[in-house]
Amino acid sequence: VVVEDQPDVSAVLSAYNQQGDPTLYEEYYSGLKHFIECSLDCHRAELSQLFYPLFVHMYLELVYNQHESEAKSFFERFHGDQECYYQDDLRVLSSLTKKEHMKGNETMLDFRTSKFVLRISRDSYQLLKRHLQEKQNNQIWNIVQEHLYIDIFDGMPRSKQQIDAMVGSLAGEAKREANKAKVFFGLLKEPEFDVPLDDEDEEGENEEGKPKKKKPKKDSAGSKSKKQDPNAPPQNRIPLPELKDSDKLDKVMNMKEAARRVRLGPECLPSICFYTFLNAYQGLTAVDITDDSSMIVGGFADSTVRVWSVTPKKLRSVKTAADLSLIDKESDDVLERIMDEKTASELKILYGHSGPVYGTSFSPDRNYLLSCSEDGTVRLWSLQTFTCLVGYKGHNYPVWDTQFSPYGYYFVSGGHDRVARLWATDHYQPLRIFAGHLADVTCTRFHPNSNYIATGSADRTVRLWDVLNGNCVRIFTGHKGPIHSLAFSPNGRFLATGATDGRVLLWDIGHGLMVGELKGHTDTIYALRFSRDGEILASGSMDNTVRLWDAVKAFEDLETDDFTTATGHINLPENSQELLLGTYMTKSTPVVHLHFTRRNLLLAAGAYSSQ
């Protein structure tokens, strides 16, 4: 027997065979609607969640059994009652009018196979069950049992606001079980090494003209992270690459920069430097900036990848093999000598993709660059030679995003095939496949400790995956549109997500709870970034603005008690206005990328659009 991994289409659809009388469907539905609308206020909000999934399943059942005219009239009569955030799904649904249409439609197949999850208090559930059984309304009861998963909790029914905050994804809410697993959200211990004092801190030479001896001093940043964070994963939970000497030098540079970092806060907002791509008629589709803010890369719709130096230092390639053999390898400036001055330029263009480039990511050591494209591949480029080293083929469809791990070596990609993949630069097959989303994976981000990956999807959910075993450990529902940006807070405890609904949602990873909602943007949020110490969250949007939010205040005194976790009674404060520290308009440039430099200057980027 051949066991297919995809549920067989006909088997899935045949669940629609046990049908009632097609002419009575409208009566069944309006009967239930009347019952719910007349029930007590406390139950009404909860039971109203049934309207949408029942509407879809009853409509599909009519279409499947070829009662086309009944299906049409059912749709026309009740589709206006559904919540506004299901508009897009209803548009897809309205085009399915014949049994044949259902076979090829993935969205609907998913709706069929995955049970729609509703969270309802025991009292409301009993009320519903009694009503349906008294009415002998088996048709609806069958659908409830067959296609819905009702997650019943003990306690007060939830209010309309509480429900509205959490619903809106393709498959309803997450089951409470889905967010119970332990997540090690703490940070890994930094390796220790001595940081030499900065030259500028000392008078270069004393009277006799001899340079002073440098005293190695323990850096404060190094000393405070001696204790292991109790929430951190074991250091060797996943194998991470060893630090090279050049990485250590870079860390030292980083610490020196950090010492000069501006402490941000409501009283001290960052300066924002905006890189506008002018005349980008190639169509700018992705941007990334190196951690040390020395290079910026753009991915374009004409399938090119362009790398610029944003410091006076030009980009140079390594010399040819013949020239390299002439160099004295022992000389002090060997790293300088291997570079070919003749190749120096501000801009390098990388050719290789055969479709728009949707994601770009620099490696932490600035030796490599990743790009992913509509052509289904992820490419790894060398920034020493500015050539393509590998093309990773695994996704058969467009790849929407890719990102290097904060430790390098590993990277993640997500695409139209609804899965995210974890890769290592030296393997041409993926190491892990994260499957579970019901629509395109639109954005991917590594947790700062590299043990977890967050993915945002067009199914309007965000999932957190464990790199070690590929399990999904968190499902966050609440966005009303596809998710386009993700950002972890520097301490690893929180996640911020932005979507086409113009809302930024804040999540507590440890408790698996939504803890805040930032309203203000009027269009898709394409960029989110926390400042280096996590005091400020910056968001950039298609509405041509960058907004700054007070992250400290948003996350302080959270009510994350066990009761809230158990029932999902979240009470979001309506405090977006207090948390908004500033809004900065561009003339006509949607913001596609944000980056805080090591000293907390905010860099933003986008392509000027002359509408």
Side-chain angles (χ1 to χ4, degrees):
V1 182
V2 183
V3 180
E4 298 203 2
D5 50 359
Q6 277 274 309
D8 185 2
V9 178
S10 51
V12 169
L13 294 176
S14 65
Y16 283 138
N17 284 339
Q18 71 266 30
Q19 47 161 24
D21 178 347
T23 52
L24 295 178
Y25 270 45
E26 293 191 30
E27 214 170 292
Y28 294 151
Y29 192 85
S30 53
L32 179 74
K33 194 173 151 203
H34 177 73
F35 160 70
I36 290 176
E37 281 168 357
C38 297
S39 59
L40 291 172
D41 288 4
C42 63
H43 301 300
R44 190 190 312 138
E46 290 204 316
L47 293 176
S48 302
Q49 298 178 77
L50 282 160
F51 286 149
Y52 175 68
L54 280 176
F55 170 79
V56 176
H57 283 298
M58 289 171 84
Y59 174 74
L60 288 178
E61 209 154 277
L62 287 170
V63 171
Y64 181 76
N65 293 303
Q66 299 178 330
H67 305 298
E68 287 165 26
S69 56
E70 285 91 343
K72 193 169 184 319
S73 99
F74 180 80
F75 189 90
E76 276 166 7
R77 181 165 167 196
F78 298 115
H79 80 98
D81 303 341
Q82 308 306 326
E83 296 279 3
C84 55
Y85 37 81
Y86 292 124
Q87 289 308 314
D88 293 348
D89 297 354
L90 291 173
R91 235 191 330 276
V92 173
L93 200 59
S94 63
S95 63
L96 293 177
T97 51
K98 291 191 162 37
K99 185 174 176 177
E100 295 71 61
H101 298 171
M102 291 170 69
K103 292 262 168 67
N105 192 301
E106 294 169 345
T107 317
M108 285 306 116
L109 267 179
D110 279 325
F111 203 90
R112 300 260 352 97
T113 45
S114 55
K115 291 194 163 191
F116 194 92
V117 181
L118 310 162
R119 247 185 238 181
I120 294 183
S121 64
R122 194 171 297 283
D123 301 349
S124 304
Y125 178 70
Q126 296 297 0
L127 195 70
L128 171 76
K129 191 169 164 181
R130 243 194 337 270
H131 167 76
L132 291 177
Q133 288 174 345
E134 277 166 19
K135 280 275 197 224
Q136 264 106 45
N137 197 337
N138 291 341
Q139 202 42 42
I140 288 191
W141 187 237
N142 287 344
I143 291 182
V144 168
Q145 294 190 296
E146 178 89 29
H147 301 304
L148 309 189
Y149 176 96
I150 298 190
D151 191 2
I152 303 171
F153 62 86
D154 294 300
M156 288 282 294
R158 293 188 298 170
S159 68
K160 179 97 180 92
Q161 284 82 2
Q162 289 175 326
I163 292 168
D164 276 348
M166 303 289 288
V167 296
S169 91
L170 257 181
E173 290 188 61
K175 302 176 185 176
R176 281 171 305 155
E177 296 307 298
N179 293 331
K180 286 278 202 295
K182 178 164 174 48
V183 170
F184 298 103
F185 54 80
L187 304 183
L188 296 174
K189 223 167 76 194
E190 286 287 320
E192 288 166 25
F193 39 80
D194 295 345
V195 181
L197 277 176
D198 204 324
D199 308 352
E200 297 161 30
D201 299 350
E202 307 181 11
E203 285 60 61
E205 299 179 349
N206 42 15
E207 292 72 292
E208 297 90 69
K210 295 193 191 82
K212 268 191 176 170
K213 290 272 188 296
K214 282 202 177 166
K215 298 190 292 291
K217 79 168 189 349
K218 275 275 186 282
D219 186 86
S220 56
S223 56
K224 72 165 184 268
S225 57
K226 288 252 189 354
K227 289 203 298 291
Q228 182 73 32
D229 181 334
N231 295 306
Q235 206 70 16
N236 54 359
R237 186 167 180 266
I238 59 167
L240 293 170
E242 290 287 298
L243 278 185
K244 303 193 293 290
D245 288 350
S246 55
D247 298 334
K248 289 182 180 162
L249 272 172
D250 197 54
K251 280 220 180 310
V252 170
M253 281 302 297
N254 198 348
M255 284 172 178
K256 286 181 182 170
E257 293 276 301
R260 306 215 174 114
R261 186 178 294 161
V262 183
R263 291 290 308 195
L264 299 179
E267 305 308 311
C268 175
L269 295 179
S271 302
I272 306 177
C273 166
F274 203 104
Y275 288 98
T276 307
F277 289 74
L278 293 170
N279 307 321
Y281 51 84
Q282 304 88 347
L284 179 73
T285 40
V287 176
D288 193 31
I289 297 175
T290 52
D291 184 68
D292 69 348
S293 315
S294 61
M295 289 184 274
I296 185 168
V297 60
F300 292 86
D302 68 353
S303 78
T304 58
V305 176
R306 292 157 193 259
V307 185
W308 283 268
S309 164
V310 281
T311 61
K313 221 171 124 183
K314 291 199 162 43
L315 303 174
R316 300 172 302 177
S317 309
V318 172
K319 289 178 178 168
T320 58
D323 293 347
L324 287 176
S325 58
L326 307 174
I327 295 175
D328 168 19
K329 306 210 176 15
E330 300 307 309
S331 66
D332 291 344
D333 59 347
V334 65
L335 290 176
E336 187 54 35
R337 290 189 188 188
I338 60 175
M339 303 316 271
D340 187 353
E341 270 307 318
K342 292 197 284 294
T343 62
S345 68
E346 272 176 16
L347 159 69
K348 299 281 187 192
I349 304 182
L350 309 176
Y351 298 101
H353 282 296
S354 58
V357 177
Y358 292 122
T360 51
S361 176
F362 283 108
S363 66
D365 62 6
R366 300 186 295 288
N367 285 330
Y368 303 104
L369 168 67
L370 283 170
S371 61
C372 65
S373 157
E374 187 267 341
D375 62 20
T377 64
V378 180
R379 284 176 180 266
L380 181 73
W381 308 84
S382 161
L383 296 176
Q384 303 293 334
T385 57
F386 296 98
T387 54
C388 181
L389 302 174
V390 199
Y392 300 94
K393 299 176 174 64
H395 295 271
N396 294 328
Y397 295 98
V399 186
W400 300 127
D401 198 12
T402 184
Q403 197 213 7
F404 257 114
S405 149
Y407 293 89
Y409 184 62
Y410 299 109
F411 63 94
V412 60
S413 64
H416 175 62
D417 55 11
R418 308 193 227 160
V419 296
R421 289 175 165 79
L422 174 79
W423 310 77
T425 46
D426 58 2
H427 290 253
Y428 61 90
Q429 295 290 7
L431 308 181
R432 294 279 180 278
I433 292 184
F434 306 113
H437 279 297
L438 302 180
D440 300 43
V441 175
T442 43
C443 47
T444 52
R445 275 288 164 276
F446 267 92
H447 186 279
N449 69 24
S450 201
N451 278 250
Y452 298 93
I453 284 169
T455 55
S457 162
D459 67 10
R460 311 189 280 278
T461 66
V462 174
R463 286 170 180 254
L464 189 70
W465 308 87
D466 189 337
V467 166
L468 183 67
N469 48 30
N471 293 345
C472 176
V473 289
R474 292 285 180 270
I475 303 177
F476 295 137
T477 64
H479 276 296
K480 312 295 185 252
I483 287 129
H484 281 286
S485 51
L486 302 165
F488 283 98
S489 62
N491 62 12
R493 288 182 53 188
F494 303 105
L495 175 66
T497 58
T500 57
D501 57 13
R503 293 151 69 229
V504 175
L505 296 182
L506 306 173
W507 309 89
D508 177 319
I509 296 168
H511 293 90
L513 279 181
M514 185 191 303
V515 291
E517 171 182 35
L518 306 176
K519 294 184 191 147
H521 283 294
T522 55
D523 205 335
T524 305
I525 296 161
Y526 273 132
L528 284 170
R529 213 29 106 84
F530 282 93
S531 60
R532 292 289 174 141
D533 299 319
E535 311 94 336
I536 283 189
L537 172 63
S539 58
S541 158
M542 280 289 279
D543 64 12
N544 303 344
T545 64
V546 172
R547 288 172 194 257
L548 301 178
W549 310 88
D550 186 339
V552 175
K553 194 164 170 190
F555 294 130
E556 69 189 4
D557 48 70
L558 294 176
E559 294 178 40
T560 46
D561 52 25
D562 297 334
F563 171 72
T564 321
T565 317
T567 57
H569 282 70
I570 49 165
N571 293 303
L572 294 181
E574 280 288 327
N575 59 351
S576 294
Q577 284 319 300
E578 299 157 39
L579 297 176
L580 182 62
L581 301 176
T583 302
Y584 305 89
M585 302 284 298
T586 62
K587 193 183 280 178
S588 176
T589 304
V591 185
V592 288
H593 188 75
L594 293 168
H595 174 82
F596 277 94
T597 68
R598 291 171 175 178
R599 298 191 188 185
N600 268 338
L601 168 69
L602 178 55
L603 308 182
Y608 177 78
S609 65
S610 52
Q611 289 137 17

